[in-house]
Amino acid sequence: MPMSGVTHLDVTSEKILASILASLDDNKAEDVVQIDLRGKTAIGDYMVICSGRSSRQVAALSEKVVDDLKQQFGVLSKVEGKETGDWVLIDTGDVIVHVFRPEVREFYQLEKMWMPAGELAKAKPQ
């Protein structure tokens, strides 16, 4: 059942992305990077990668994103890894979100895998 008068047809990947970015910003996620996947893969339209300062913040950020999407759009997300708080994957269908502890993010370096070199240099956290 749609929430807030929004029908499923009105929920675009861009609206989901905007909600995710706002939620991460509101909850102080660090080094947020968004990657446009359209035309590159069928796994989704966008990928968002960010960091939390601790396992507790990683879990809290992921919970908040999932709750916000459910409240705003009735979107149910699949979540993996919340128990450990090192790396949480949120799959909304159209947008994939990775929330990492900084050292785990550095180890896996997903940005290098998904971003063209020119974009990677611009997106690199300072």
Side-chain angles (χ1 to χ4, degrees):
M1 177 146 145
M3 303 289 192
S4 312
V6 175
T7 65
H8 186 65
L9 297 175
D10 294 335
V11 182
T12 64
S13 56
E14 288 75 19
K15 287 181 181 177
I16 292 171
L17 176 64
S19 174
I20 290 167
L21 293 174
S23 180
L24 293 172
D25 186 54
D26 290 348
N27 293 286
K28 308 212 180 337
E30 298 180 346
D31 303 326
V32 179
V33 174
Q34 86 181 49
I35 303 169
D36 189 340
L37 298 177
R38 294 171 297 179
K40 296 177 186 165
T41 180
I43 65 170
D45 291 342
Y46 298 98
M47 182 181 293
V48 176
I49 302 172
C50 68
S51 300
R53 290 180 301 281
S54 64
S55 296
R56 187 177 190 146
Q57 188 189 22
V58 166
L61 284 165
S62 57
E63 273 180 38
K64 191 68 175 127
V65 166
V66 169
D67 288 346
D68 288 350
L69 290 174
K70 187 175 179 184
Q71 294 300 318
Q72 290 176 18
F73 305 118
V75 171
L76 301 178
S77 306
K78 295 182 186 96
V79 180
E80 297 288 335
K82 198 175 81 168
E83 304 75 33
T84 59
D86 288 333
W87 174 6
V88 180
L89 169 71
I90 304 165
D91 184 353
T92 72
D94 293 327
V95 182
I96 295 137
V97 183
H98 299 275
V99 186
F100 286 103
R101 279 190 309 107
E103 52 275 11
V104 178
R105 181 177 179 175
E106 180 64 29
F107 180 79
Y108 287 102
Q109 299 186 6
L110 288 187
E111 289 97 328
K112 282 189 179 178
M113 191 181 316
W114 288 101
M115 292 180 81
E119 284 183 46
L120 183 61
K122 289 186 281 188
K124 202 70 173 145
Q126 303 305 323

